[in-house]
Amino acid sequence: MSTERTVRFSLNGRAVKAHVASHESLVQVLRDRFDLFGSRESCGQGLCGCCTVIVDGKPVSGCLYLASFLDGTSVQTIEGLAPADDRLDPVQEAFIEAGAFQCGFCTPGFILMTKHLLAENRAPSDDDIRHYLTGNLCRCSAYPEIVAAVKLAATKQRGG
Amino acid sequence: MRPFDLVEPATLEEAFHLLEGDDPAVRPIGGGTALMLMMKEQVFRPVRLVSLRHLAPQFGAISIDADHRMIRFGATTSFSELEHSAVVARHLPVVVRTMRTLANVRVRNVATLGGNLAHADPHLDLPPVWIALGAQIVIENPAGPRIVPAEDIFEGYYETNLRHDDIIREIRVPLNASQRASYVKITTRSAHDWPALGIAVRLEMKDGLAHHPRIVLSAATNKPTRLVRTEALAHGQPITPASLRELGEAAVSEADIASDSRGSADYKKHLLRVHLGRALHALALEE
Ligand SMILES: Cc1cc2nc3c(=O)[nH]c(=O)nc-3n(C[C@H](O)[C@H](O)[C@H](O)COP(=O)(O)OP(=O)(O)OC[C@H]3O[C@@H](n4cnc5c(N)ncnc54)[C@H](O)[C@@H]3O)c2cc1C
């Protein structure tokens, strides 16, 4: 029986390992083993995006992803996004400047998804943004500001 | 959720061995997006999950035959691999368009084509599209592989006739340069809700007449269903307001539609009349 295993992976650029049970999800392991609380389980169904984590360069729902599948992967969380302790990623800056949140619970998910949207599409339209972010819910309903933040981030990343 | 045995065989033979027996709590797992939800709700309590991830080298490719007559999709291909495939965009644009309103980016990155078929939720978007395109499903079994038309897999609400030790290997879609196809997802509450109905249509147009149409209804029925009488009626017909009205009525009388939280049967029948007509009309006008 293999109800438990040790997984080795890269977490925000650092080689780590964790002993995980077969039923544990990625978001549980990040919170319980690594004290990374930026991704959080909210809807628990893959709909809201609060548990967004980047695995091998792709956003996934951490609450629907078995931690056992992490072996050999490269994982990035919101905690690993800022390039230095005293500097933020342009997407993070844009969300602050545009006031794109109230309570902030959903913000890590929105920021990680935006990072990936902009990697695929340097100048997304409002429609592109709304489509890409359909799987992220902001219960404070800061959507107009979020769309503005994504556009601001796109401008910053293009160096404008 | 409770712990279970999680295994990741590298060969089909090992996978069969690990699935042996008839315990319904022993299942294959693709992306796990559907299984995780069922496990969290405790409607499924696995004893063992046999991951197909390590079969991906044989099971995870998208390829086109040299004569361009068929595209093959490995069962562990993710939705996003499909969505971003240049070959699929060029030869089966309907499949790429379907991805735009299917789940969300994160689910598409993880969920697999095989899991999507075997899950057999009638609200899923790709099964009707596969059926309309005349897809064949390659199924591996210890007793030998078999190939069946996509529509033959589905038995009813979340029910397939796949056997306990069946593993879906591949989806084969025949190509036809003169075919036109579309899928319409009609949601009645919010845009990302499960559809009240899905309509997939493929046809060819010859001298202004519809040829060899395939019309598939999903979500409103308990499994994705071909409307064969309506197809027969549409074959050889011009697409005019009068013929569209007639085909809409034929579809409504043929389909077994039930009321649920997404609308009454009468309302869904009305949606079917209107949206089937629009879909056929749009295809007839396509260049
Ligand atoms: C938030 C959310 C929204 C979604 N929205 C949509 C949507 O709008 N439209 C849509 O079509 N889908 C949607 N889905 C996806 C769909 O509901 C399923 O979750 C998904 O298609 C299952 O794929 P999987 O690889 O994750 O399957 P799994 O969860 O791994 O497996 C599902 C079933 O298939 C079996 N299985 C898996 N692979 C094989 C195989 N190769 N051979 C035999 N059996 C196999 C498993 O044993 C299990 O019974 C959504 C999912 C989520 C979580």
Side-chain angles (χ1 to χ4, degrees), chain B residues 115-132:
Chain B
N116 186 251
L117 274 176
H119 190 44
D121 177 336
H123 301 95
L124 300 182
D125 297 304
L126 268 184
V129 175
W130 295 136
I131 295 171

Side-chain angles (χ1 to χ4, degrees), chain A residues 45, chain B residues 27-28 30-35 52 103 112 115-116 118 124-125 168 185:
Chain A
Q45 302 177 30
Chain B
R27 298 278 315 154
T33 60
L35 283 172
L52 306 177
T112 67
N116 186 251
L124 300 182
D125 297 304
I168 300 173
K185 175 177 190 163

Side-chain angles (χ1 to χ4, degrees), chain A residues 2 5 22 41 46 59 61 135, chain B residues 4-5 8 40 104 106 109:
Chain A
S2 32
R5 65 173 72 173
S22 56
E41 181 153 350
S61 288
Chain B
F4 46 84
D5 187 24
E8 304 192 74
K40 285 181 175 193
N104 57 51
R106 292 181 312 278
N109 279 337

Side-chain angles (χ1 to χ4, degrees), chain B residues 232-246:
Chain B
L233 193 65
H235 178 68
Q237 284 235 26
I239 301 298
T240 63
S243 74
L244 291 178
R245 260 195 304 279
E246 191 190 353

Side-chain angles (χ1 to χ4, degrees), chain A residues 27 39-51 63 105-106 137 139, chain B residues 40:
Chain A
V27 69
S39 55
R40 39 213 39 158
E41 181 153 350
S42 182
C43 78
Q45 302 177 30
L47 291 167
C48 78
C50 291
C51 65
C63 80
F105 194 85
C106 67
L137 302 181
R139 318 274 184 184
Chain B
K40 285 181 175 193

Side-chain angles (χ1 to χ4, degrees), chain B residues 33-217:
Chain B
T33 60
L35 283 172
M36 283 292 273
L37 293 182
M38 298 174 82
M39 283 152 33
K40 285 181 175 193
E41 294 297 323
Q42 310 255 335
V43 292
F44 178 59
R45 296 173 185 207
V47 165
R48 171 184 291 159
L49 291 179
V50 180
S51 168
L52 306 177
R53 292 189 330 144
H54 291 335
L55 301 179
Q58 311 116 291
F59 276 45
I62 300 176
S63 64
I64 182 164
D65 287 6
D67 59 6
H68 281 204
R69 284 199 165 159
M70 179 148 43
I71 298 194
R72 297 158 193 265
F73 299 93
T76 61
T77 308
S78 70
F79 286 132
S80 61
E81 286 164 325
L82 197 79
E83 181 182 3
H84 294 111
S85 153
V87 171
V88 183
R90 173 138 173 258
H91 294 279
L92 291 172
V94 61
V95 172
V96 176
R97 282 197 300 268
T98 300
M99 290 301 121
R100 197 159 154 77
T101 53
L102 190 152
N104 57 51
V105 175
R106 292 181 312 278
V107 172
R108 294 200 296 272
N109 279 337
V110 175
T112 67
L113 301 184
N116 186 251
L117 274 176
H119 190 44
D121 177 336
H123 301 95
L124 300 182
D125 297 304
L126 268 184
V129 175
W130 295 136
I131 295 171
L133 293 173
Q136 304 271 325
I137 313 299
V138 182
I139 301 166
E140 297 282 357
N141 185 276
R146 64 188 193 279
I147 301 179
V148 298
E151 60 261 44
D152 288 1
I153 286 185
F154 302 104
E155 292 276 302
Y157 201 70
Y158 286 93
E159 267 180 53
T160 67
N161 54 27
L162 293 172
R163 291 193 290 262
H164 178 79
D165 48 0
D166 277 343
I167 295 179
I168 300 173
R169 182 196 188 98
E170 189 173 275
I171 298 163
R172 298 183 173 171
V173 180
L175 293 178
N176 174 336
S178 56
Q179 90 179 350
R180 310 165 182 200
S182 70
Y183 172 69
V184 206
K185 175 177 190 163
I186 300 127
T187 55
T188 52
R189 299 191 301 196
S190 65
H192 67 252
D193 190 16
W194 291 114
L197 60 159
I199 304 172
V201 183
R202 71 72 76 193
L203 50 73
E204 293 147 53
M205 290 300 293
K206 284 189 190 133
D207 307 323
L209 305 179
H211 274 260
H212 305 296
R214 285 169 75 97
I215 300 171
V216 185
L217 177 64

